[in-house]
Amino acid sequence: MTIDIRSMGYVRVSSTDLEQWRHFATKVLGLAEGRGPNPEHLYFQIDAVSARLVVVPGDVDQLACTGWEVADHRALQAAREHLQAAGVDFQDATAEELADRRVQDLVRFEDPWGNVFELFHGITYESHPVVTPYGAKFVTGDQGMGHIVVPVLDDVEALRFYTEVLGFRLRDSMSMPGEFVGKEPGSKVWLRFLGVNPRHHSLAFLPMPNPAKCVHIMLEVDSLDDVGRALERVRKHDAPLSSTLGRHMNDEMVSFYVRSPGGFDIEFGTDGMEVDDARWVARESTAVSYWGHDFSVGR
């Protein structure tokens, strides 16, 4: 038995400059700024959920945590019992933390590399439709907020932990030379792409340290034109482009990458693959993309 995670629900980011994040999130990414219980935090919407991205004041610029949604109170209690049986230390949220996240219940824990996960249920959603600044509609629903790629130090243990302990399902793999991450020449390390719902992957990991505690976060819109418009805003606002437009091989997403104020990238894309677990077989892709995605532009 594993934890029944349904989707990536939200991300929280620590920032030394909230105004920089406000400009980037609204003017470049086109997220809708919402309101929340803490006036010192920034809350951003992409759908009816009260906040998918929350930026909080901090001493460093990095990912603070990722929230993962389970079905209800029974599923969260089962998750507690599963984590305890697996020897994973966790903490229950305080009343203040529940109020700021606007969820009914939550537990927090770290993976073996210090990445912070929050499992929750009962998040609030708003009665009025969200209107993003440039009219883009984001792909969420049962696919959740998007996907995230986190840094780990051991790709073998990461695959075991995320699949056997947390219940993610392997969707795709990609190998890279071990010397890229300090391993012996001729060795191989693995990037793994893991899913929990129809989105091809909601979580992936790269076996390489990263001070931002995140490699990238992906947001998906429902039209190629909205990707193009966002790319134009990147240029208009002099945001640092990390990769040109391209189509990925594994999830077939058409996207570009832009560097966020948090020190990690945002992938902004459309036309991502949906997966039927009853028929899907995990594969190894032999390239990052079918075309495009020139990451040399960000060096």
Side-chain angles (χ1 to χ4, degrees):
M1 182 178 175
T2 56
I3 297 170
D4 185 18
I5 294 173
R6 298 298 176 89
S7 70
M8 183 172 116
Y10 58 78
V11 294
R12 293 173 67 88
V13 175
S14 168
S15 174
T16 60
D17 188 341
L18 267 67
E19 286 306 312
Q20 190 178 23
W21 257 108
R22 174 180 276 125
H23 179 85
F24 177 76
T26 58
K27 300 297 185 183
V28 178
L29 300 181
L31 312 188
E33 185 171 1
R35 290 181 289 183
N38 191 326
E40 296 183 356
H41 296 178
L42 299 179
Y43 302 89
F44 297 101
Q45 283 183 271
I46 58 174
D47 60 6
V49 171
S50 297
R52 291 289 196 178
L53 169 64
V54 180
V55 184
V56 303
D59 297 328
V60 291
D61 292 295
Q62 63 182 22
L63 178 73
C65 70
T66 312
W68 298 91
E69 188 164 26
V70 300
D72 54 25
H73 64 290
R74 293 186 183 89
L76 190 60
Q77 181 56 33
R80 285 187 177 95
E81 295 168 6
H82 183 75
L83 289 171
Q84 188 172 29
V88 178
D89 292 330
F90 63 88
Q91 300 83 40
D92 290 310
T94 65
E96 182 181 1
E97 289 167 339
L98 294 178
D100 191 54
R101 287 152 178 78
R102 287 174 278 188
V103 301
Q104 292 181 30
D105 201 4
L106 178 151
V107 298
R108 178 187 305 104
F109 62 93
E110 293 184 2
D111 73 5
W113 306 277
N115 299 306
V116 181
F117 288 70
E118 296 183 347
L119 301 177
F120 70 90
H121 83 87
I123 200 165
T124 64
Y125 59 103
E126 302 298 322
S127 60
H128 53 81
V130 64
V131 179
T132 59
Y134 303 100
K137 293 183 178 179
F138 289 81
V139 177
T140 56
D142 61 358
Q143 296 192 52
M145 175 184 177
H147 75 235
I148 189 165
V149 183
V150 297
V152 301
L153 299 181
D154 183 338
D155 55 332
V156 175
E157 173 59 17
L159 182 62
R160 186 203 70 81
F161 182 82
Y162 294 141
T163 57
E164 296 182 15
V165 177
L166 300 188
F168 287 89
R169 298 183 286 279
L170 179 63
R171 296 276 171 75
D172 197 89
S173 301
M174 188 184 307
S175 67
M176 58 188 289
E179 50 263 41
F180 283 9
V181 295
K183 305 285 186 181
E184 60 273 12
S187 65
K188 182 185 291 188
V189 293
W190 290 96
L191 289 73
R192 305 285 191 179
F193 301 85
L194 312 171
V196 290
N197 58 46
R199 192 181 292 283
H200 176 273
H201 59 278
S202 295
L203 174 71
F205 61 80
L206 179 68
M208 185 182 299
N210 186 315
K213 302 184 78 170
C214 177
V215 180
H216 74 255
I217 295 167
M218 188 283 300
L219 299 174
E220 183 179 1
V221 290
D222 69 355
S223 102
L224 181 61
D225 286 339
D226 284 323
V227 175
R229 293 184 185 105
L231 194 53
E232 289 292 305
R233 295 194 300 271
V234 167
R235 183 173 63 180
K236 176 181 178 181
H237 294 281
D238 292 322
L241 189 68
S242 299
S243 165
T244 60
L245 193 70
R247 184 184 286 275
H248 278 307
M249 189 172 175
N250 58 9
D251 67 354
E252 301 184 358
M253 185 81 66
V254 177
S255 63
F256 67 87
Y257 291 71
V258 60
R259 182 55 53 96
S260 77
F264 52 83
D265 285 343
I266 300 292
E267 180 185 4
F268 198 97
T270 192
D271 200 26
M273 177 190 296
E274 293 186 27
V275 165
D276 175 2
D277 272 312
R279 303 177 62 186
W280 183 258
V281 292
R283 304 173 297 181
E284 178 186 350
S285 50
T286 54
V288 173
S289 305
Y290 288 118
W291 55 267
H293 286 139
D294 179 2
F295 284 90
S296 68
V297 299
R299 295 180 190 144

